[in-house]
Amino acid sequence: MPENKDALEALTRAHSRPVAFAVRTNVMYDGTLDDESPVHGSAVSFKIGDYLHIFEKFDANWWVGRKVKENCDIGFIPSPDRLEQLILQKAPVGKLDRVKTGAGAAQNTPAPQPQDQNLAGEEGAGGVRVTAPPVIEKKKGLLGKKCETLSPYDVVPIMRPVVMVGPSLKGYEVSDMLQKAVFEFLKNKFEGRIIITHVGADLALGKTSVLNNPSNRKVLEKSTSRANDLAEVQSEIERIFELSRSMQLIVVDCDTINHPSQLVETSLAPIMVYLKITSTKVLQRLIKSRGSAQSRHMNAQLAGTDKLELCEPEEFDVVLDEFQLEEACEHIAEYLEAYWKATRPPRKPILDAV
């Protein structure tokens, strides 16, 4: 079939193409059950919260891409339109997962996941197992609640930026000194493969609900200073997206980010790294060693540490709690080396063009 030949050529072509864009999934999809893939057996399965690299859009129903995981092959990924068709054709009404956000809700509530990712999910067309996107409930004041259904995919940077928090607050010598030591180690360890960039703007302002919604943005921009802040934040987020196209590791040294919840509602999908000092006494000694100017702000720094301690483990991708800084550096280097390999497809094409 001509279509099959085109599909095989698209898979082979992708091995020499750069990644066009990346997405994070809000649905689960079992490609092993999808007989309508352009090349039989080449549909890419994924769980909620997986990251996908897209090389090209093959047609209205299929993209060419791969899951960001070591040794995962390039295959065909259902487009948002196809996923919505699968969900609508057979998914029962009222089965959508609901996630409460807004006031009184957890700031970093993960997308709901089926108890068994291999078996769960409603069956769509042809028996394909796929889950509907979560429905977000947002408080709407006197008008009641407003519900929004997430899209199947969120566009994210091609290379997820690394953002480090801890052991206390940025702007104080202990946290700045330790983080800079880690950054310097990574700069040397991954020479030629890493970009370390500084961001002074408050990236926490870059919520997708604001930047992508003209009405919300218009309200916030009534203040000139606020408008300038939003413009600077949007510019920085776009810069990070552009840097990620280099396929190098991206480390973002953020002046204002001290907690993972600050970036949850942005499109950055960062690799959150927690540089942790497990002993409060050790942290106190380090603060005192930096002189009286730092000791005067001891309580504020300890409070910042306490807030990080209250985070759920899943809010961080990596926790560096080693006793020696050298061991912590080796830990993050090992993680980033594995991530680097995960972002590279296998060298050999999975199929030869016919």
Side-chain angles (χ1 to χ4, degrees), residues 4 16 26 42 69 89 114 122 130 140 142 153 176 179 190 198 212 218 270 300 330-331 344 348:
N4 191 47
S16 58
N26 292 320
S42 67
K69 185 178 180 182
Q89 284 177 16
E122 301 298 338
V130 58
K140 200 67 176 177
L142 297 175
Y153 302 124
D176 290 352
Q179 288 193 22
F190 295 98
H198 174 261
N212 297 338
K218 191 173 181 180
E330 291 294 343
H331 182 176
R344 269 64 188 170
K348 184 180 178 182

Side-chain angles (χ1 to χ4, degrees), residues 15-61:
H15 282 269
S16 58
R17 281 196 166 189
V19 178
F21 61 96
V23 297
R24 178 176 52 198
T25 62
N26 292 320
V27 298
M28 184 213 77
Y29 166 78
D30 187 351
T32 62
L33 301 174
D34 200 338
D35 293 329
E36 295 186 29
S37 167
V39 175
H40 183 70
S42 67
V44 177
S45 299
F46 49 81
K47 303 189 294 288
I48 295 171
D50 279 345
Y51 292 88
L52 309 175
H53 278 172
I54 311 301
F55 295 92
E56 66 173 275
K57 294 181 178 181
F58 180 69
D59 58 26
N61 290 318

Side-chain angles (χ1 to χ4, degrees), residues 1 4 24 35 69 88 110 118 124 140 158 177 198 211 214 245 266 309:
M1 293 175 60
N4 191 47
R24 178 176 52 198
D35 293 329
K69 185 178 180 182
L88 290 173
N118 294 319
K140 200 67 176 177
I158 291 172
M177 174 183 67
H198 174 261
L211 296 183
R245 300 185 70 82
T266 71
E309 290 282 352

Side-chain angles (χ1 to χ4, degrees), residues 4 17 28 37 50 82 98 163 168 181 210 215 217 257 276-277 288 298 302 312 332 339 350:
N4 191 47
R17 281 196 166 189
M28 184 213 77
S37 167
D50 279 345
R82 173 160 177 77
R98 292 179 180 268
V163 175
S168 180
V210 173
S215 60
R217 184 163 183 158
I257 302 303
K276 182 178 182 180
I277 294 179
K288 289 177 181 177
M298 174 82 74
L302 294 179
E312 296 295 330
I332 183 60
Y339 178 67
I350 50 176

Side-chain angles (χ1 to χ4, degrees), residues 6 8 25 39 49 51-52 80 86 107-108 111 133-134 137 145 152 160 198 202 212 217 220 278 295 303 324 338 354:
D6 291 344
L8 289 168
T25 62
V39 175
Y51 292 88
L52 309 175
L86 291 173
Q107 292 296 314
N108 193 34
E137 288 185 355
K145 292 180 179 178
R160 296 173 61 199
H198 174 261
D202 187 0
N212 297 338
R217 184 163 183 158
L220 290 173
T278 54
S295 297
Q324 297 290 336
V354 294

Side-chain angles (χ1 to χ4, degrees), residues 202-219:
D202 187 0
L203 294 178
L205 297 175
K207 298 178 180 180
T208 53
S209 60
V210 173
L211 296 183
N212 297 338
N213 189 317
S215 60
N216 288 351
R217 184 163 183 158
K218 191 173 181 180
V219 171

Side-chain angles (χ1 to χ4, degrees), residues 98-102 135-149 209 213 215-216:
R98 292 179 180 268
V99 183
K100 292 186 178 180
T101 62
V135 174
I136 305 296
E137 288 185 355
K138 295 185 176 180
K139 289 197 172 181
K140 200 67 176 177
L142 297 175
L143 299 178
K145 292 180 179 178
K146 179 182 178 182
C147 293
E148 295 180 11
T149 302
S209 60
N213 189 317
S215 60
N216 288 351

